[in-house]
């Protein structure tokens, strides 16, 4: 089992020193889902919400959040992201919207936290924009799907869906 790198030998939290690690191209893909009432889903799908393009605004919020991850997660390194993309998949049968984020950088540490943060903030933005008509929405199934780059190489979830 890997040791927890955010703790020093005496058990104190610290920021990992990545100064000696080589720069490599790193990619992380994360996903999550928000489920809502069918009426709420239909309004988002049709683009008829009075606040505007819910998914377009959620996409921008997710990208913005990925760039602010180190401000939110205390021991994350600030990263120079080279690419962040968000895709939404609408499922009418379950009245749910899935969000998938791909984050990339070239550097000494990974982008998993940036991808996960982007997913969560994108889903929170959807919630915020339509909460006046549906406060019972449920967000969940937020997970890392895959990552590549760095010393640990490739990793893929055994349960991607």
């Amino acid at each position: 089992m890997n040791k927890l790198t955010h703790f020093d030998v005496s058990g104190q939290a610290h920021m990992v020193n990545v100064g000696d690690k080589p720069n490599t191209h790193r990619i992380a893909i994360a996903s999550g889902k928000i489920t809502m009432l069918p009426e709420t889903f239909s309004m988002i799908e049709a683009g008829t919400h009075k606040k505007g393009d819910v998914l377009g605004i959620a996409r921008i919020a997710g990208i913005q959040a990925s760039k602010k991850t180190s401000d939110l997660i205390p021991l994350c390194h600030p990263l120079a992201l080279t690419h962040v993309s968000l895709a939404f998949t609408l499922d009418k049968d379950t009245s749910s919207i899935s969000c998938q984020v791909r984050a990339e950088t070239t550097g000494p540490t990974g982008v998993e936290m940036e991808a996960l943060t982007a997913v969560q903030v994108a889903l929170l933005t959807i919630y915020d924009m339509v909460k006046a008509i549906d406060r019972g929405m449920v967000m969940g199934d937020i997970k890392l799907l895959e990552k590549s780059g760095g010393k640990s190489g490739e990793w893929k979830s055994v349960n991607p869906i």
Side-chain angles (χ1 to χ4, degrees), residues 21-77:
K21 293 172 74 178
N23 286 338
T24 62
H25 183 227
R26 296 165 183 267
I27 300 170
I29 300 173
S31 67
K33 178 168 73 171
I34 185 167
T35 303
M36 60 202 67
L37 294 172
E39 300 80 26
T40 310
F41 178 87
S42 294
M43 182 181 291
I44 293 171
E45 182 180 41
T48 57
H49 192 279
K50 66 181 180 179
K51 288 185 178 179
D53 179 7
V54 172
L55 298 181
I57 294 167
R59 181 176 293 106
I60 297 299
I63 292 168
Q64 192 172 336
S66 69
K67 298 188 297 183
K68 295 289 189 179
T69 300
S70 66
D71 292 338
L72 300 169
I73 311 296
L75 300 177
C76 277
H77 293 83

Side-chain angles (χ1 to χ4, degrees), residues 16-130:
V16 175
N17 183 354
V18 296
D20 292 334
K21 293 172 74 178
N23 286 338
T24 62
H25 183 227
R26 296 165 183 267
I27 300 170
I29 300 173
S31 67
K33 178 168 73 171
I34 185 167
T35 303
M36 60 202 67
L37 294 172
E39 300 80 26
T40 310
F41 178 87
S42 294
M43 182 181 291
I44 293 171
E45 182 180 41
T48 57
H49 192 279
K50 66 181 180 179
K51 288 185 178 179
D53 179 7
V54 172
L55 298 181
I57 294 167
R59 181 176 293 106
I60 297 299
I63 292 168
Q64 192 172 336
S66 69
K67 298 188 297 183
K68 295 289 189 179
T69 300
S70 66
D71 292 338
L72 300 169
I73 311 296
L75 300 177
C76 277
H77 293 83
L79 299 183
L81 295 169
T82 57
H83 178 77
V84 177
S85 61
L86 279 81
F88 295 104
T89 304
L90 284 70
D91 184 342
K92 191 174 192 108
D93 293 338
T94 61
S95 298
S96 65
I97 300 170
S98 296
C99 175
Q100 184 170 302
V101 173
R102 177 184 176 104
E104 297 184 43
T105 192
T106 299
T109 191
V111 289
E112 297 92 337
M113 295 307 297
E114 287 71 14
L116 288 162
T117 299
V119 166
Q120 301 222 28
V121 170
L123 296 177
L124 284 168
T125 300
I126 293 170
Y127 185 95
D128 180 54
M129 292 193 69
V130 297

